Amino acid sequence: MTSKRSFSAKNGIDSKQKIWMWILSILTMLLMYPAVLIIYLNRILAWYPTETPVQKRIFGYQMKEAVCDALGYRESLIFCALGVVFAIGIFSFLNNRSKVDLIKSLPVKAKKMYASEYVSGVIICLIPYLVCTLLSVAISTGWGYFTALAAKECVITFILNTIVFLIYYNLTIVCICLTGNMFVAFGGVMAVSFGPYLIVSSLEEMKYLFFKSADAYFADNGKLLAPFLYTQDFSYQIKELNDIAKEMAMILPSLIWWAVAAVILTVLSYVCFIKRPAEAMHKAIWSKSIRTIVKLILIPAAAIVVSMITYQTSAQSKWIMVVSAIITAILAGFMIEAIYSFDIRAAFKSLRSTGLGALIAIAVLVIYFFDLTGYDRYVPKSGDIESYAVETNTNMYSDFYEIEGPDGEDMSMYQGIRWINSSSYKKEHMFLNDCEAISRLAGICNEKALLEDDTLINSTNISVLYRLKSGRKVTRSIRVDLDDAESLELLNRIVKNDGFLENTFASVAQKDKLDKINAAVSYSNGVGSEPVSMNPSDIIDLWLDDAEAFDYSLGYGQFPCGVLNFTMNGGLTYQLPVYENFKATINAVKKDGSYLAAEFDAADVDRVIVTNYHNEVWENGGEYYGDPSVSETIEDPEDIKEILKNTVPSNLYKVWEGSSEGDGYSVMAFFNNEYEYSRKGESFMFRFTGDVPEWVKELTDL
Amino acid sequence: MIEIKELNKSFDDIKAVDNVSFDIKEAEVFGLIGTNGAGKSTILRILSGVYKQESGIALIDGNEIYDNPEVKKNVFFISDEPYFWPNSTAQTMGEYYAGLYDSFDMDAYGKYIEAFRLDKDRKINTYSKGMKKQLAMLLGICSKTKYLLCDETFDGLDTVMRQAIKSMLAKEIEDRKLTPVIASHNLRELEDICDHIGLLHQGGILLSKDLEDMKLNIQKVQCVFKDEADKEKALNGVEIANENKRGQLYTFTLRTTREEAMARFSSVDTIFYEVLPLTLEEIFISETEVAGYDIKKILLG
């Protein structure tokens, strides 16, 4: 009876103390939702005319888009901030002695006290949010533009923002309950928010610096450890998709992880509140054991992060790295002890734990320096591999789109198309099962220590994602010696596989969809472009025949002579490189009358400007003040001819080739009106394909 | 009844309460005396459920206190710096406590507020320190709890107010057997109100005794003897706690009853003798000296 009465009595007076939070929450939500919606709609009303049927259709589409954008507005940083501010506003009383005397002496159970305080913070945030969202829905419905898509955006956004709020609200409560000082608590929130990401990033960076087989292409970063930094990913992933099952498959793993994190933090905040003694106030961290644990985490973390920075800024000296790690560990230990006691004189306390922290940091460095975990020696047995994905630097463009959603004319603008980078696409779709080939390639690389061999000239690196039968995923880089017959044969086995081609070139996997949406096909030689009248799937089939017969050794060091473009609604384009020996493709394009020769006539070019970036001045830590680039204009037809012979349009440049001398140069060619595919004076960027002529080097010397 | 047995509480390396044991009977005013840092406030916070003891027993009516609302509804704690909600008034604070304590007497509260001339609608943050202490005391008394724990509550009150509050406490004790526990660093504040005194020093308890018992067994006698031999005769066999002589005038502090002291001095030939009441301070001086402590240093600086 008492607790019931006290609960409501307490809430009554408490709510008066929290008026400022209500005002903050209401203003924030009004600005984030109804206000943003009105601004978006007003912009469309002001900009888009509605006089003709077409204009009306475009206006309607824009209005629907604006409603979706406004209702799906996900600014997670705002919800993080609200979580932190509300937790501080509600639970900061734990650091006020008089208030604790009052609250803790009242005849109210601690768990009821917690529930009352906790729920008030959640209500103050979510009630205005819900009301403002409903207000936005009412406004959108009033205008007649509230669609199923907008409803979905609205619901997902509400769930995401609520989870982000709960994570930070609970995290802040945990930090307040473990500490006795608001600055330390806030520092704790910041450390937990950014610390894991910083540590994981530093360890990742160390992996790439010290392990030769480390590969970033398929690697995951610390997204799960720093959720609020990555909620925007969802926006790209789920926006505009209409397949709810597929969307859920995409977002559920992360959503579940965050929801679990929110639940764990809620339980933790409750336990910390109940366990926190009243005398904890004014102490940095009240629990001795937690103080030691925090110290033993912070010291190695600080030492590793700082030593990584010094390593990279000190011409990569391992000694400097070790010394800076030791100094940082000791200083961090002193600083932590001084903060624990709020007394600089206490810096030298607990020297044993400071030393232990330094030792952990050194142990981590030693593991990386001497590869004690055998990272570089790892070669999975073919029988242990379930499937794998590879990246062989064969794709010309790393980012591409996946066609989803409705077909045909409903697919206006970017609707129904998901942006996805090639790495993620391959992780999702490429499941190669010639495990023997990849295991053997990795074995050869390891046996011959190819990653450490600086004398290899004709070689290529491939990135591999092994999916092991044990459920583990492992990423590694393998170096392939292209002069070794066995290696070349194994590599060709992998790249000629349908699974490889389909998932390396998105257009191959989605050729039927390209047909359905009537994607425009064109052929380009890197400068001009001609429409191709064939169906996308027909020309892709021919290209596949050529690609499956293609020998990697021919491709290596060779530049494409052209590119096939598949342009979708809204201007998004897929591209497929075409090589000289892609006979079936080239013959079809020629038959279609769309072929453009890869060779350029010097008579079509007025002048070229060659720029030497003089990258050599930066090599080996060199310093140069100002821009060392030297540009020269060349107008002599003979010189232009020689330059054109040694260059390709930059549109065709990024291919199966390593770095070369020409990487340090660029060539700008200005075409005249004799050339049919460009306007007079239009310019195109070219790149040298290999060695740069000596006279060009002399001409552009510093 | 409040029972404390071998109670211990430390703050990091500081032992705030060191193996303290004493009992507080119902309807008696218990004075907890000690210097700053002696552990008085810590004991009160343990008894009110703010702190949890490290070891030992602290029971109220046989029950543990920490996080036990059933016990805490019989206890009202007045901190040395009472907290009032921002922008609250005497009226809203009364309503707040009325919601928390079933027994809160709003009518009595209103009458007391009027009697103490506190404006019930004025914001408490504009009150003086003394007014806040009065208000806290009124809230405590009107909560009608069985136990009232007061931490330095009389500090900052003027003499008139102090007397008024003492009268209120006396009435409550008589009417409903209230048990106040009053902590103070000043002996003189508690002299005319406490029934039982517990003296704390450096976290430990030096003594815990009924004031009446102490007063019954210790007497101050001023006397001028006609002959020094009469002094020997009068004091033969009685424990002398203190002895002073100024000119011919002797002042003795004797461990005996008033009747015995009077009998001894009337049986010898004196020019003048008088048995005088001892102040609490004087009683403590003699009691703690027996225990080997210099009370003047402990309590009076």
Side-chain angles (χ1 to χ4, degrees):
Chain A
M1 191 178 80
T2 303
S3 54
K4 216 176 217 177
R5 275 185 67 189
S6 60
F7 192 72
S8 56
K10 205 188 118 359
N11 278 349
I13 199 156
D14 264 9
S15 46
K16 286 178 194 163
Q17 312 305 317
K18 289 164 188 159
I19 285 173
W20 67 271
M21 283 190 243
W22 279 104
I23 294 169
L24 176 68
S25 179
I26 291 166
L27 281 178
T28 307
M29 299 309 168
L30 277 173
L31 284 173
M32 274 184 80
Y33 291 98
V36 163
L37 175 68
I38 290 164
I39 290 166
Y40 281 9
L41 294 184
N42 269 331
R43 207 161 53 187
I44 312 279
L45 284 168
W47 289 354
Y48 288 86
T50 52
E51 283 154 20
T52 66
V54 173
Q55 285 175 342
K56 277 181 185 165
R57 195 166 155 238
I58 293 171
F59 174 82
Y61 172 74
Q62 291 297 336
M63 289 294 269
K64 283 178 191 169
E65 279 285 287
V67 168
C68 278
D69 285 347
L71 290 177
Y73 187 61
R74 287 189 278 274
E75 189 45 82
S76 50
L77 206 60
I78 290 174
F79 281 86
C80 292
L82 286 178
V84 174
V85 169
F86 286 1
I88 289 174
I90 291 167
F91 288 90
S92 61
F93 78 86
L94 290 170
N95 292 326
N96 179 329
R97 199 181 66 112
S98 311
K99 202 167 172 183
V100 167
D101 279 349
L102 166 69
I103 300 281
K104 293 205 99 178
S105 65
L106 294 175
V108 181
K109 268 262 183 209
K111 64 179 177 188
K112 280 224 163 71
M113 187 69 70
Y114 170 81
S116 142
E117 300 290 353
Y118 183 88
V119 169
S120 67
V122 175
I123 285 173
I124 292 170
C125 178
L126 294 189
I127 297 289
Y129 181 21
L130 192 63
V131 170
C132 287
T133 301
L134 292 176
L135 193 61
S136 300
V137 170
I139 294 168
S140 316
T141 312
W143 274 94
Y145 294 110
F146 185 69
T147 58
L149 198 66
K152 181 203 74 185
E153 278 288 297
C154 190
V155 170
I156 291 175
T157 302
F158 191 86
I159 293 169
L160 271 176
N161 284 340
T162 303
I163 290 176
V164 169
F165 170 78
L166 286 177
I167 285 177
Y168 275 82
Y169 183 61
N170 285 305
L171 176 63
T172 312
I173 297 171
V174 170
C175 289
I176 290 171
C177 290
L178 288 178
T179 64
N181 176 286
M182 289 317 298
F183 287 107
V184 179
F186 188 70
V189 174
M190 291 293 110
V192 177
S193 303
F194 296 102
Y197 180 69
L198 211 59
I199 295 167
V200 169
S201 304
S202 294
L203 291 177
E204 282 283 301
E205 193 71 19
M206 277 174 66
K207 200 168 79 180
Y208 299 128
L209 281 172
F210 297 114
F211 298 153
K212 290 189 169 58
S213 63
D215 195 275
Y217 185 77
F218 287 117
D220 280 319
N221 51 26
K223 283 181 185 181
L224 295 180
L225 293 167
F228 83 96
L229 295 174
Y230 293 99
T231 50
Q232 290 302 333
D233 274 13
F234 280 151
S235 306
Y236 300 114
Q237 296 271 331
I238 60 179
K239 199 167 174 203
E240 313 294 352
L241 296 187
N242 282 342
D243 184 345
I244 194 79
K246 190 148 192 174
E247 286 164 31
M248 283 298 113
M250 271 192 284
I251 66 167
L252 263 183
S254 296
L255 208 59
I256 289 170
W257 164 253
W258 293 357
V260 167
V263 171
I264 290 171
L265 281 168
T266 305
V267 174
L268 206 58
S269 70
Y270 168 74
V271 173
C272 289
F273 181 87
I274 299 292
K275 293 280 177 196
R276 187 188 201 267
E279 63 268 27
M281 68 188 77
H282 310 316
K283 288 178 185 170
I285 296 174
W286 58 267
S287 161
K288 274 185 184 171
S289 49
I290 292 175
R291 277 206 291 258
T292 310
I293 293 168
V294 169
K295 190 177 174 184
L296 288 179
I297 292 171
L298 287 182
I299 290 178
I304 287 165
V305 171
V306 173
S307 64
M308 269 302 300
I309 295 167
T310 49
Y311 181 76
Q312 285 170 323
T313 54
S314 64
Q316 304 203 332
S317 161
K318 283 184 183 173
W319 281 112
I320 291 178
M321 190 178 190
V322 170
V323 171
S324 70
I326 294 170
I327 292 172
T328 308
I330 292 169
L331 289 178
F334 290 169
M335 213 163 78
I336 290 166
E337 284 301 330
I339 291 171
Y340 280 173
S341 302
F342 296 122
D343 183 0
I344 193 74
R345 291 167 301 179
F348 302 106
K349 274 171 72 178
S350 305
L351 290 176
R352 208 177 292 173
S353 55
T354 303
L356 185 59
L359 275 178
I360 295 172
I362 300 299
V364 172
L365 294 184
V366 167
I367 287 170
Y368 279 85
F369 287 174
F370 300 105
D371 190 10
L372 295 185
T373 57
Y375 189 95
D376 279 338
R377 296 188 296 279
Y378 178 73
V379 177
K381 290 176 190 160
S382 62
D384 294 340
I385 305 168
E386 179 80 49
S387 68
Y388 63 97
V390 291
E391 158 62 31
T392 55
N393 301 320
T394 50
N395 57 316
M396 293 179 66
Y397 300 95
S398 58
D399 297 336
F400 55 112
Y401 307 92
E402 189 175 14
I403 303 169
E404 300 285 351
D407 299 332
E409 61 177 3
D410 288 340
M411 236 193 68
S412 53
M413 302 300 284
Y414 299 149
Q415 197 172 347
I417 295 172
R418 176 170 73 123
W419 175 88
I420 183 168
N421 66 41
S422 61
S423 162
S424 302
Y425 187 86
K426 283 176 188 171
K427 275 196 254 185
E428 282 181 24
H429 296 91
M430 190 187 275
F431 294 89
L432 305 181
N433 45 27
D434 188 356
C435 304
E436 201 186 308
I438 198 70
S439 178
R440 182 69 196 124
L441 264 184
I444 294 171
C445 174
N446 193 38
E447 284 158 20
K448 296 186 176 177
L450 296 179
L451 286 163
E452 290 142 44
D453 189 349
D454 297 330
T455 60
L456 271 187
I457 299 167
N458 198 13
S459 69
T460 186
N461 279 40
I462 63 173
S463 307
V464 189
L465 166 69
Y466 301 107
R467 299 184 194 89
L468 302 182
K469 285 176 180 166
S470 63
R472 256 183 82 207
K473 288 179 182 170
V474 180
T475 63
R476 287 292 187 276
S477 179
I478 298 174
R479 197 168 185 196
V480 183
D481 180 1
L482 294 173
D483 292 330
D484 176 52
E486 187 190 0
S487 298
L488 192 59
E489 190 262 324
L490 291 166
L491 185 58
N492 276 323
R493 254 165 73 180
I494 295 167
V495 300
K496 288 178 181 180
N497 185 293
D498 277 354
F500 173 83
L501 291 168
E502 276 182 11
N503 296 295
T504 300
F505 301 98
S507 48
V508 175
Q510 304 194 51
K511 59 180 183 176
D512 295 337
K513 285 189 177 176
L514 287 171
D515 277 354
K516 277 187 186 172
I517 61 170
N518 298 319
V521 187
S522 65
Y523 181 82
S524 167
N525 63 353
V527 172
S529 180
E530 273 285 286
V532 177
S533 58
M534 295 169 75
N535 276 338
S537 61
D538 293 340
I539 190 84
I540 288 171
D541 282 341
L542 292 171
W543 184 90
L544 262 175
D545 290 343
D546 286 332
E548 283 171 12
F550 193 56
D551 185 339
Y552 194 97
S553 63
L554 294 174
Y556 186 78
Q558 195 184 73
F559 289 86
C561 58
V563 62
L564 281 168
N565 294 310
F566 303 90
T567 307
M568 292 165 272
N569 299 338
L572 300 177
T573 306
Y574 285 147
Q575 293 182 313
L576 286 176
V578 178
Y579 293 85
E580 288 291 0
N581 60 338
F582 276 38
K583 296 297 177 197
T585 310
I586 290 173
N587 287 340
V589 174
K590 277 181 178 170
K591 199 174 165 191
D592 194 69
S594 317
Y595 184 74
L596 292 169
E599 294 79 30
F600 298 94
D601 190 347
D604 292 334
V605 177
D606 273 343
R607 65 187 192 282
V608 295
I609 297 174
V610 179
T611 302
N612 181 349
Y613 296 109
H614 287 289
N615 292 334
E616 70 276 3
V617 302
W618 314 112
E619 281 167 13
N620 300 321
E623 286 187 12
Y624 188 90
Y625 298 98
D627 180 8
S629 305
V630 176
S631 296
E632 290 294 337
T633 304
I634 296 160
E635 292 177 327
D636 181 77
E638 282 306 310
D639 291 343
I640 292 174
K641 191 177 176 184
E642 190 178 351
I643 285 176
L644 288 177
K645 196 176 83 185
N646 286 295
T647 56
V648 291
S650 60
N651 287 340
L652 304 178
Y653 183 75
K654 196 181 174 194
V655 285
W656 309 12
E657 174 64 278
S659 61
S660 71
E661 190 180 52
D663 285 353
Y665 291 78
S666 71
V667 174
M668 189 67 84
F670 292 79
F671 284 81
N672 57 36
N673 56 355
E674 298 299 318
Y675 189 60
E676 59 184 306
Y677 303 112
S678 66
R679 292 184 297 277
K680 182 174 171 62
E682 195 170 4
S683 60
F684 289 89
M685 181 77 87
F686 281 64
R687 304 293 295 267
F688 284 104
T689 54
D691 291 343
V692 179
E694 282 304 316
W695 64 271
V696 172
K697 285 187 203 170
E698 285 166 22
L699 191 65
T700 57
D701 205 4
L702 266 175
Chain B
M1 184 179 173
I2 297 174
E3 296 163 77
I4 290 177
K5 279 197 189 91
E6 295 167 3
L7 195 68
N8 286 288
K9 179 77 185 169
S10 298
F11 301 112
D12 290 331
D13 302 329
I14 299 161
K15 192 96 181 164
V17 177
D18 188 5
N19 222 29
V20 168
S21 300
F22 60 83
D23 292 342
I24 301 174
K25 290 179 201 140
E26 280 176 27
E28 75 173 16
V29 184
F30 192 95
L32 211 48
I33 304 281
T35 50
N36 294 328
K40 310 179 295 289
S41 302
T42 306
I43 289 176
L44 289 192
R45 285 194 171 91
I46 291 171
L47 291 177
S48 58
V50 177
Y51 290 163
K52 191 175 185 181
Q53 69 267 30
E54 258 161 40
S55 64
I57 294 168
L59 302 174
I60 289 184
D61 296 333
N63 297 304
E64 288 283 350
I65 308 149
Y66 193 78
D67 204 19
N68 186 349
E70 285 307 306
V71 171
K72 280 158 86 173
K73 69 184 179 185
N74 292 321
V75 180
F76 194 100
F77 174 50
I78 302 170
S79 165
D80 55 342
E81 284 174 35
Y83 182 83
F84 301 101
W85 294 99
N87 295 318
S88 60
T89 61
Q91 179 67 24
T92 55
M93 283 309 292
E95 287 162 5
Y96 175 63
Y97 279 106
L100 290 159
Y101 291 92
D102 295 343
S103 51
F104 194 91
D105 187 343
M106 206 62 193
D107 293 338
Y109 180 67
K111 283 176 194 162
Y112 281 135
I113 289 281
E114 215 166 284
F116 277 76
R117 294 186 183 169
L118 295 171
D119 184 349
K120 68 180 169 62
D121 297 320
R122 185 175 142 191
K123 284 187 179 172
I124 298 170
N125 56 17
T126 65
Y127 280 15
S128 70
K129 189 181 168 191
M131 289 161 85
K132 284 179 186 170
K133 291 229 167 185
Q134 286 170 42
L135 182 63
M137 197 67 182
L138 297 185
L139 287 164
I141 286 171
C142 294
S143 292
K144 302 286 177 189
T145 54
K146 200 168 161 187
Y147 302 95
L148 185 64
L149 312 179
C150 311
D151 192 4
E152 308 279 2
T153 306
F154 291 94
D155 180 33
L157 292 182
D158 61 42
T159 317
V160 177
M161 284 304 159
R162 198 178 296 171
Q163 285 310 319
I165 287 175
K166 282 176 183 173
S167 308
M168 279 169 60
L169 287 179
K171 186 174 177 297
E172 294 293 324
I173 293 164
E174 194 182 325
D175 290 352
R176 60 182 184 88
K177 299 202 182 309
L178 170 71
T179 308
V181 181
I182 304 168
S184 176
H185 62 278
N186 194 339
L187 264 174
R188 291 171 191 125
E189 271 187 356
L190 303 182
E191 185 162 6
D192 51 350
I193 190 169
C194 290
D195 300 318
H196 195 105
I197 293 287
L199 177 62
L200 290 169
H201 180 55
Q202 292 179 344
I205 192 147
L206 291 187
L207 64 89
S208 170
K209 280 193 174 178
D210 270 346
L211 208 53
E212 279 309 307
D213 287 350
M214 283 196 274
K215 281 181 179 172
L216 274 177
N217 293 309
I218 193 158
Q219 313 298 330
K220 186 162 86 175
V221 181
Q222 284 190 326
C223 174
V224 178
F225 296 102
K226 278 187 179 166
D227 191 332
E228 279 298 308
D230 290 328
K231 181 190 163 200
E232 294 296 322
K233 195 177 164 189
L235 299 174
N236 187 26
V238 68
E239 190 184 339
I240 305 166
N242 198 11
E243 179 182 334
N244 265 315
K245 187 183 179 192
R246 280 191 186 172
Q248 291 297 306
L249 180 68
Y250 281 96
T251 305
F252 302 104
T253 306
L254 304 175
R255 293 191 183 281
T256 183
T257 60
R258 182 181 172 82
E259 289 72 28
E260 193 190 334
M262 287 185 76
R264 280 174 177 276
F265 281 88
S266 59
S267 66
V268 295
D269 202 7
T270 57
I271 296 170
F272 154 82
Y273 85 90
E274 189 179 14
V275 180
L276 296 167
L278 265 83
T279 62
L280 193 58
E281 192 179 306
E282 286 167 320
I283 295 170
F284 263 80
I285 288 168
S286 58
E287 289 287 345
T288 52
E289 274 174 357
V290 173
Y293 292 93
D294 183 352
I295 191 72
K296 282 183 187 166
K297 279 187 185 163
I298 293 173
L299 284 186
L300 308 172

